[in-house]
């Protein structure tokens, strides 16, 4: 996983000559762990600090009404204005694309970014919207009967990507 | 987060400490939304909220209306003066008609205690109590908890004094219940005619002396004299009330340095609170109003999912 994060960091550095304009915005909660790690790698490789924010997309979901449990809200915290910035949304897994759709709406409500890009650790396919990542750590071919879970040491787990079959009764 | 689905918010009496903490935590996120340049999120798009306010109100009604609008809900206000109650329609019929227009959430304020509970029984939509007579005003108590927690970090162990017309105040009852559930020590003070008989059975400390009321208090909540709910004659004159139970600079000499002074509004300057105290350094009266919108957004958000 360390290698994948390094690769994402390297490609972000290569594609964005002015890193002072970049804000990495992690979609909470695992996206924000990943955003912090990418920022650490960038700092180590090129010595530049990149600002990092957290975006909670709960309020922008299209399935709020359908959910049985009310999801817990977390404060959105983005340092400085979004206006004119080069925003890179960061998430662990890209699947249907609905989370990213919600995140785009969320970011746009905070101001007019100059550019919005997307970085994900894993792309597992099965998109339901016309959305694609600018930076992808790894493509994993999955079926709809599988779940993909990225584990982070920040959450008390061992780092890793887990693909599991959903057991149907 | 401890949030089991609930249809109605009728009073603090029904809520657990965990549920109240969930509401306060959720409100933190909504406070951030109110600080944005574009103060709106699409969360309750397509949800219809009716504010049925059958008693005068500026703060609570405006606060609920803004809360609903910042969540992108459609909000309609009905007031007593413009309602068909004047043509002889019963409250129940009126509520059924409002529900027949596919209303999702009804916020109700009424002069009769139990009005919200009554409506919750006859309606399938969510009912939020915006104040029922001298009974409860749960959203006020929750925004008061939020405002205290924001300043003091925690509520447990604080001494909170509520001063004024305890007997006729729904804010007092909701706050007593809420503060006690959160682990605060509650003290009440006022003229004997405004302290309800048997109130000590709620576990509150009672005093009729202002200096004793203020001493050692971390928070003081002042209440307005509820002239509309009194038969009159509970005190000789406004001036005498202000002299004995009004909060002014001189009285605060013995107060804690980090005291918070609160008031649910509307304030009667020079009666229960002097202008220099209301506008002074201890006062968080306007913070309460700001926080009210965030807390009501959290309540609309959390209760919206439960309506069938």
């Amino acid at each position: 996983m360390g290698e994948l994060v390094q690769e994402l960091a390297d490609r972000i550095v290569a594609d964005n000559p002015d890193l002072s304009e970049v804000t990495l915005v992690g979609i909470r909660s695992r996206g924000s762990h990943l955003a912090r790690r990418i920022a650490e790698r960038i700092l180590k490789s090129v010595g530049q600090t990149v600002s990092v924010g957290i975006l909670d997309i709960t309020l922008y979901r299209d399935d709020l009404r359908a959910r049985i449990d009310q999801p817990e809200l977390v404060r959105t915290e983005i340092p400085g204005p979004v206006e004119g910035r080069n925003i890179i949304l960061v998430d662990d897994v890209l699947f249907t694309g609905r989370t990213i759709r919600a995140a785009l709406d969320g970011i746009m409500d905070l101001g007019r970014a100059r550019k919005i890009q997307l970085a994900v650790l894993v792309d597992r396919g099965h998109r339901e919207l016309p959305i694609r990542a600018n930076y992808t750590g790894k493509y994993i071919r999955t079926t709809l009967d599988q779940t993909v879970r990225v584990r982070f040491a920040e959450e008390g787990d061992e780092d890793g990507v887990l693909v599991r079959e959903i057991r149907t009764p | 987060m401890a949030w089991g689905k609930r249809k109605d918010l009728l009073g603090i009496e029904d809520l657990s400490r965990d549920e109240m903490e969930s509401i306060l935590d959720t409100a933190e996120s909504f406070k951030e939304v109110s600080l944005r340049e574009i103060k709106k999120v699409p969360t309750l798009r397509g949800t219809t909220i009716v504010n049925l306010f059958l008693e005068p109100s500026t703060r609570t009604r405006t606060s609920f209306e803004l809360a609903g609008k910042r969540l992108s809900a459609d909000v309609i206000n009905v007031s007593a003066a413009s309602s068909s109650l004047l043509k002889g329609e019963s409250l129940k019929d009126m509520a059924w008609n409002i529900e027949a227009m596919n209303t999702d959430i009804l916020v109700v304020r009424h002069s009769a205690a139990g009005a919200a509970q009554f409506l919750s029984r006859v309606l399938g939509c969510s009912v939020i109590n915006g104040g029922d007579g001298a009974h409860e005003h749960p959203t006020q108590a929750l925004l008061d908890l939020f405002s205290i927690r924001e300043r003091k970090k925690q509520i447990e162990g604080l001494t909170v004094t509520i001063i004024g017309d305890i007997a006729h105040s729904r804010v007092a009852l909701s706050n007593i219940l809420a503060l006690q559930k959160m682990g605060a020590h509650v003290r009440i003070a006022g003229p004997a005619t405004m302290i309800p008989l048997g109130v000590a059975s709620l576990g509150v400390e009672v005093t009729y002396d202002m200096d004793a009321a203020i001493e050692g208090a971390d928070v003081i909540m002042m209440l307005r004299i509820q002239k509309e709910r009194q038969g009159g004659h509970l005190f000789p004159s406004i001036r005498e009330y202000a002299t004995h139970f009004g909060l002014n600079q001189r009285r605060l000499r013995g107060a804690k340095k980090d005291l918070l002074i609160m008031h649910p509004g509307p304030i009667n300057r020079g009666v229960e609170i002097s202008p220099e105290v209301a506008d002074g350094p201890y006062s968080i009266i306007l913070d309460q109003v700001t926080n009210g919108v965030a807390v009501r957004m959290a309540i609309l958000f959390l209760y919206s999912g439960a309506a069938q």
Side-chain angles (χ1 to χ4, degrees):
Chain A
M1 188 157 136
E3 279 170 38
L4 292 180
V5 177
Q6 185 64 51
E7 204 182 309
L8 285 174
D10 291 344
R11 284 166 52 205
I12 288 170
V13 170
D15 275 13
N16 299 276
D18 189 357
L19 286 170
S20 67
E21 283 186 356
V22 172
T23 303
L24 294 170
V25 175
I27 299 170
R28 70 106 198 174
S29 56
R30 285 186 290 275
S32 45
H33 301 319
L34 184 59
R36 274 189 221 103
R37 289 195 187 190
I38 292 172
E40 280 167 24
R41 295 280 176 158
I42 293 177
L43 180 62
K44 261 192 202 147
S45 338
V46 296
Q48 168 90 38
T49 311
V50 182
S51 67
V52 178
I54 301 168
L55 182 68
D56 185 303
I57 55 126
T58 310
L59 300 173
Y60 293 86
R61 296 185 70 103
D62 57 9
D63 60 351
L64 261 184
R65 291 285 195 112
R67 287 176 69 110
I68 310 221
D69 56 325
Q70 286 279 16
E72 189 173 349
L73 278 180
V74 176
R75 238 182 135 103
T76 290
E77 285 169 25
I78 294 177
V82 166
E83 202 74 30
R85 300 284 297 175
N86 178 359
I87 301 288
I88 302 180
L89 290 171
V90 181
D91 206 1
D92 56 344
V93 179
L94 179 57
F95 181 25
T96 61
R98 287 179 192 270
T99 301
I100 305 306
R101 194 283 307 161
L104 286 170
D105 282 352
I107 284 290
M108 286 179 182
D109 274 2
L110 295 174
R112 187 179 188 280
R114 192 176 59 75
K115 189 176 180 182
I116 303 178
Q117 307 178 74
L118 174 62
V120 298
L121 194 67
V122 175
D123 181 345
R124 61 166 292 190
H126 305 290
R127 216 76 77 241
E128 292 169 7
L129 295 170
I131 279 171
R132 135 188 109 67
N134 303 75
Y135 312 98
T136 306
K138 194 175 180 56
Y139 293 91
I140 300 179
R141 189 186 287 273
T142 61
T143 68
L144 285 171
D145 297 329
Q146 292 170 322
T147 61
V148 178
R149 170 83 195 245
V150 180
R151 289 181 157 181
F152 287 90
E154 287 88 330
E155 294 188 341
D157 290 319
E158 205 173 313
D159 277 359
V161 180
L162 248 82
V163 181
R164 257 191 282 193
E165 300 295 322
I166 304 171
R167 258 176 271 145
T168 38
Chain B
M1 188 170 83
W3 189 259
K5 275 202 167 179
R6 276 181 178 276
K7 179 170 99 65
D8 310 301
L9 172 57
L10 303 177
I12 296 294
E13 198 179 356
D14 311 323
L15 292 178
S16 69
R17 178 173 175 162
D18 279 352
E19 284 173 311
M20 290 195 289
E21 281 177 344
S22 295
I23 294 171
L24 302 186
D25 292 344
T26 305
E28 299 264 358
S29 306
F30 286 114
K31 187 150 185 186
E32 180 262 322
V33 174
S34 290
L35 296 173
R36 293 181 188 175
E37 200 174 324
I38 302 167
K39 296 181 262 299
K40 210 177 185 73
V41 288
T43 316
L44 294 190
R45 206 156 52 97
T47 297
T48 302
I49 300 173
V50 174
N51 283 333
L52 180 62
F53 275 63
L54 302 174
E55 237 192 5
S57 164
T58 315
R59 243 165 313 280
T60 308
R61 190 186 55 69
T62 312
S63 186
F64 266 113
E65 185 172 355
L66 280 175
K69 287 183 169 168
R70 286 184 186 167
L71 290 167
S72 303
D74 297 308
V75 186
I76 306 294
N77 293 306
V78 180
S79 67
S82 65
S83 77
S84 49
L85 291 176
L86 296 180
K87 298 181 183 169
E89 191 178 35
S90 73
L91 181 63
K92 192 197 298 188
D93 278 322
M94 186 181 187
W96 276 342
N97 278 275
I98 289 172
E99 187 175 44
M101 297 180 216
N102 300 317
T103 297
D104 299 294
I105 301 177
L106 180 71
V107 181
V108 62
R109 164 166 296 190
H110 197 283
S111 57
Q117 189 166 27
F118 166 73
L119 289 177
S120 76
R121 281 202 309 266
V122 300
L123 297 178
C125 69
S126 284
V127 175
I128 309 286
N129 185 0
D132 60 331
H135 178 225
E136 279 227 45
H137 192 352
T139 64
Q140 177 71 43
L142 288 163
L143 77 88
D144 288 340
L145 292 184
F146 185 91
S147 303
I148 296 172
R149 200 177 75 162
E150 189 174 58
R151 295 294 183 121
K152 299 280 189 191
K153 304 304 167 218
Q154 65 161 16
I155 296 167
E156 181 139 24
L158 295 179
T159 296
V160 181
T161 302
I162 307 175
I163 301 174
D165 190 357
I166 309 292
H168 298 92
S169 171
R170 54 194 172 212
V171 175
L173 180 60
S174 287
N175 261 309
I176 290 170
L177 298 172
L179 288 161
Q180 286 184 332
K181 285 184 183 187
M182 298 297 288
H185 172 67
V186 182
R187 193 187 277 166
I188 59 172
T193 48
M194 291 181 177
I195 304 290
L197 279 175
V199 71
S201 67
L202 286 175
V204 298
E205 179 191 342
V206 182
T207 178
Y208 306 98
D209 174 65
M210 275 298 268
D211 291 331
I214 292 166
E215 196 189 344
D218 298 290
V219 179
I220 294 178
M221 291 184 181
M222 296 307 295
L223 300 176
R224 184 177 60 90
I225 300 166
Q226 306 272 315
K227 283 182 217 135
E228 68 274 29
R229 273 182 250 292
Q230 297 168 357
H233 315 301
L234 293 181
F235 52 91
S237 72
I238 294 279
R239 194 168 140 199
E240 192 160 330
Y241 183 83
T243 309
H244 291 283
F245 293 97
L247 193 62
N248 55 38
Q249 208 69 273
R250 188 174 47 79
R251 281 249 160 73
L252 287 175
R253 273 184 305 207
K256 276 189 152 180
K257 291 290 162 260
D258 58 349
L259 171 70
L260 299 180
I261 293 176
M262 305 172 71
H263 194 304
I267 65 176
N268 288 153
R269 284 174 185 264
V271 183
E272 72 274 7
I273 191 164
S274 72
E276 72 271 16
V277 172
D279 309 329
Y282 299 130
S283 168
I284 58 164
I285 295 174
L286 291 176
D287 288 11
Q288 290 173 265
V289 180
T290 305
N291 292 335
V293 178
V295 169
R296 292 185 174 109
M297 285 172 83
I299 288 164
L300 293 175
F301 171 69
L302 290 170
Y303 283 83
S304 65
Q308 294 303 327

